[in-house]
Structures are given as C-alpha cells and as structure tokens.
Amino acid sequence: MILDSSQLDSKNEEKNEGKNEEKKKVRSKYAENIIRDVLEKISQGQIVDIDEIFKNFIDKDIQFYILGISPSTSRIIVRFFLKDTFGNFMSKVIQHYQDLLIEKQFENDISNIPIRRIFYEPIPKGSEDKSISTFLSTSIMRAVLLGEEYPNSLYQVILLRIQAERDINYYQASILKAYLVRKARRLNNKLITEVLTLSLNENTNNKAYLLGRLFAVLEKAQKESNPNINTTIRDKYFSSACATPAAVFPTLFALAQYHIAKFDYGYYYDNMIADIMDKLDIDNEPFPKNLTLDEQGIFYLGYYHQRNSLYKSKGKDNKQNNEENKE
C-alpha cells in the first residue's frame, strides 16, 4: 500500500498525540507517599483522618487494586486480587475497626487492634508453634477489605481458646463481638445487636448475655468472700456453665449462698443476683440445657462486660473509701 504525503502527516500526528497521552499518565510520588502512610497506620491500628485526605490530597473515587499473595516453596501464590475505589476500601477498613470496638480490660490495651494481632490471637498461650494459618489470614483480609462476614473458623477457634484457658481477654472479646455484629447485621437480628455494645448493657433480657453476667457476679462474690482463694468457679465451671447452663448453675447458686454469707456486704451481690434472675425469669423459663455457638459467644461477652463493670466499681469504691479515711 502506498501513502501520499497527507496520509503520512496524519499518521505522524496520531503517533504524537499517543505519545502526549502517555506522558500525561505520570505516577505521583506525593500521592504514593500519602497512600503508603495511610496503609502503614492502618496496619499498626492507628487512627487515620480519611476525610481530610479525601478533601485535600486523594480522589476517593480513584480506582485501587489490592493483590494478596503468599510465599510457597518455589513460587508465589495469588490469594486474591481486588478492585474497587480507594474510598470504598477505606470505608470498609473503618467499618472493621468500628465493629471491633469494645470496652478495654486494661488501660494499656490497644484502642484500634491491628489486623496482624487478630491473626495471632487464635494461637494458644504458650504454644511453640507461632505460625499463622494462611487460609485464616486470607479469609480475614477479604472480610476486612470487602466488608464481608468474618470467617466462622476464626470465631470457633477463639471460642475453643477461651474454653481451654478458662478466660477471655480484650482482644478475644473484640473478635467475638465483631463476628456476631456482622452476622446479626446480615440477618437484621436486633435482639442480638442490642447486646453487642461497647460496654455493659443492663437493660437487655437476652438469656445468654444474662447468664454470662450472672457468672461474673457469682465469681466476684466468691473472690470477695475469700481474697486468697487459688481456684475459683471460673477454673472449674466456666466452659460447662457456658455450654450447659442447666446442669451447672444450680450448683453455682448453692456455692454462692455459702460465699455471700461469709462477708458483711454480701447484700450488694445478693441484690445484683436478684436483679439478673428477675430478667431471666427462671420460674417460667428454666435455665437452657444447651447454648448454641452464637449464644456461647454472647455468654462470654456478657461475662466480659459484667466483670469489667464490677472491677471498675470496686476501684471507685476503694478510691472513695481512701479519700474518706484521709479526711
């Protein structure tokens, strides 16, 4: 094919326009640094002012890609490849931290739990094997970035660890709450959502939550009656009270009456127990024989909330008594 001079000029113009368009697509080092800083802060559980960033630096509607990979013996495995706007990804991350929010157990607990901490929480205390499950970490990351429900395996392994160690810490309580919040949100279950709060809910009639609260009060009464006790009801009955309340709580009540009678201000715990029992309405609805896995998580959250409330109240009482003694 033979082109005349006019056609050649047209072809050259098209090439030049193409080159100019390519030149316009320049990577912004400044924007890269901002995004890197945002992602580093998120990985460490730090608070990021996303609105300020969108207002002044980054277009929230810009397309963003996230590649999840993991190493293998001789290759790299692609776990996921996600595409969405930067704004949508950030809103999902913010929602993740909001779902995790729960009252701290100790002042030095991390306010915004880093995602990496969640990866390690299923590992039992004292375990020599500290390796993270690739399947579990991948599922958690997808849940965070896509706003999906957290993996059921994460919830179950946290329950198993609580049952084995007969205790629940701030990080485990946060995970249980976040898992149940997202499940309740999908099912539009307001009865469950009302107990998945930041701190103690004294108004709910949720049975599993009330049973957890009741166990915490009974344990505190035992410790108050014998401050030097080595083995409490939590060491013996924590897991069984959660799984099979009807078989355990009658025994706990018998022990509680013995403990409460041993100290002068036992009426304080008597009144608290009576208030919870009124809400449980045992005369008409006996203790449940079993609790489902979801109810077991709610039981542990009720215990966690009530225990925090009791120890804070005790701290305030001690402070007040010390000030009165000084006067």
Side-chain angles (χ1 to χ4, degrees):
M1 181 177 67
I2 300 173
L3 299 176
D4 59 25
S5 59
S6 61
Q7 288 176 314
L8 285 172
D9 291 340
S10 176
K11 289 288 183 182
N12 289 331
E13 287 177 5
E14 289 177 3
K15 286 181 180 180
N16 291 331
E17 286 178 3
K19 287 180 180 180
N20 291 334
E21 287 180 2
E22 289 177 4
K23 288 179 181 179
K24 290 178 184 177
K25 297 177 182 178
V26 178
R27 293 173 68 92
S28 170
K29 201 68 179 176
Y30 183 64
E32 287 180 11
N33 290 335
I34 291 174
I35 292 175
R36 184 182 293 108
D37 183 57
V38 168
L39 297 179
E40 284 180 356
K41 286 182 177 179
I42 288 172
S43 69
Q44 296 167 11
Q46 297 179 25
I47 297 174
V48 180
D49 190 349
I50 297 297
D51 292 334
E52 180 69 17
I53 291 170
F54 289 153
K55 182 179 178 181
N56 297 313
F57 305 109
I58 305 292
D59 180 4
K60 67 178 180 179
D61 294 323
I62 193 169
Q63 286 298 310
F64 202 74
Y65 304 85
I66 299 179
L67 176 66
I69 58 176
S70 64
S72 185
T73 52
S74 59
R75 63 187 186 278
I76 291 177
I77 301 174
V78 175
R79 297 295 176 180
F80 55 80
F81 180 68
L82 308 177
K83 174 187 174 183
D84 204 340
T85 64
F86 186 66
N88 282 343
F89 277 130
M90 290 301 101
S91 66
K92 299 293 194 305
V93 172
I94 291 170
Q95 184 65 62
H96 159 74
Y97 283 119
Q98 289 175 343
D99 290 342
L100 281 172
L101 277 179
I102 198 168
E103 185 179 44
K104 293 182 182 180
Q105 183 177 5
F106 304 111
E107 285 298 321
N108 61 348
D109 285 332
I110 304 170
S111 297
N112 292 295
I113 302 172
I115 296 173
R116 191 168 184 81
R117 178 62 191 253
I118 299 175
F119 293 164
Y120 282 105
E121 202 54 43
I123 300 173
K125 190 185 296 182
S127 173
E128 294 182 1
D129 184 9
K130 300 295 183 182
S131 58
I132 302 172
S133 164
T134 303
F135 173 77
L136 189 58
S137 60
T138 300
S139 301
I140 293 170
M141 284 305 304
R142 286 184 62 89
V144 172
L145 296 170
L146 297 176
E148 298 175 345
E149 289 185 42
Y150 298 102
N152 188 51
S153 55
L154 172 66
Y155 179 76
Q156 291 191 20
V157 76
I158 293 297
L159 284 183
L160 288 173
R161 184 177 170 189
I162 293 170
Q163 291 163 2
E165 297 175 1
R166 297 181 294 278
D167 198 8
I168 177 172
N169 63 34
Y170 161 69
Y171 304 101
Q172 293 162 355
S174 296
I175 294 170
L176 294 184
K177 183 224 171 195
Y179 171 86
L180 291 168
V181 160
R182 294 207 169 183
K183 187 171 184 178
R185 189 180 293 142
R186 176 176 61 85
L187 300 174
N188 196 25
N189 191 331
K190 294 181 180 179
L191 293 177
I192 294 179
T193 305
E194 72 176 13
V195 299
L196 304 177
T197 52
L198 182 68
S199 56
L200 180 65
N201 183 346
E202 295 182 321
N203 300 316
T204 182
N205 290 324
N206 184 291
K207 278 194 174 294
Y209 189 81
L210 288 170
L211 289 170
R213 286 186 59 198
L214 183 58
F215 192 95
V217 175
L218 296 175
E219 180 194 17
K220 191 68 165 63
Q222 183 188 34
K223 287 183 176 180
E224 289 291 330
S225 68
N226 187 358
N228 299 319
I229 192 170
N230 293 322
T231 304
T232 67
I233 59 172
R234 190 184 71 198
D235 300 306
K236 289 185 176 181
Y237 300 106
F238 195 42
S239 298
S240 54
C242 177
T244 55
V248 177
F249 271 94
T251 303
L252 296 180
F253 276 119
L255 291 171
Q257 293 308 311
Y258 169 75
H259 296 140
I260 289 172
K262 290 176 65 176
F263 57 101
D264 295 336
Y265 50 95
Y267 65 89
Y268 173 77
Y269 293 100
D270 254 338
N271 291 339
M272 197 175 295
I273 291 168
D275 180 60
I276 296 174
M277 290 298 291
D278 285 344
K279 288 184 172 66
L280 281 168
D281 193 17
I282 297 301
D283 292 336
N284 296 317
E285 298 182 37
F287 287 115
K289 293 182 179 179
N290 305 97
L291 294 182
T292 66
L293 288 179
D294 285 358
E295 288 171 335
Q296 288 178 34
I298 294 171
F299 175 99
Y300 289 132
L301 288 176
Y303 170 84
Y304 177 84
H305 280 154
Q306 184 66 68
R307 182 181 63 179
N308 278 4
S309 177
L310 286 168
Y311 279 91
K312 284 185 177 181
S313 298
K314 184 64 178 175
K316 289 179 182 178
D317 292 343
N318 288 338
K319 185 177 180 180
Q320 185 177 352
N321 291 335
N322 290 335
E323 289 175 353
E324 289 174 355
N325 290 334
K326 286 180 182 178
E327 292 175 0

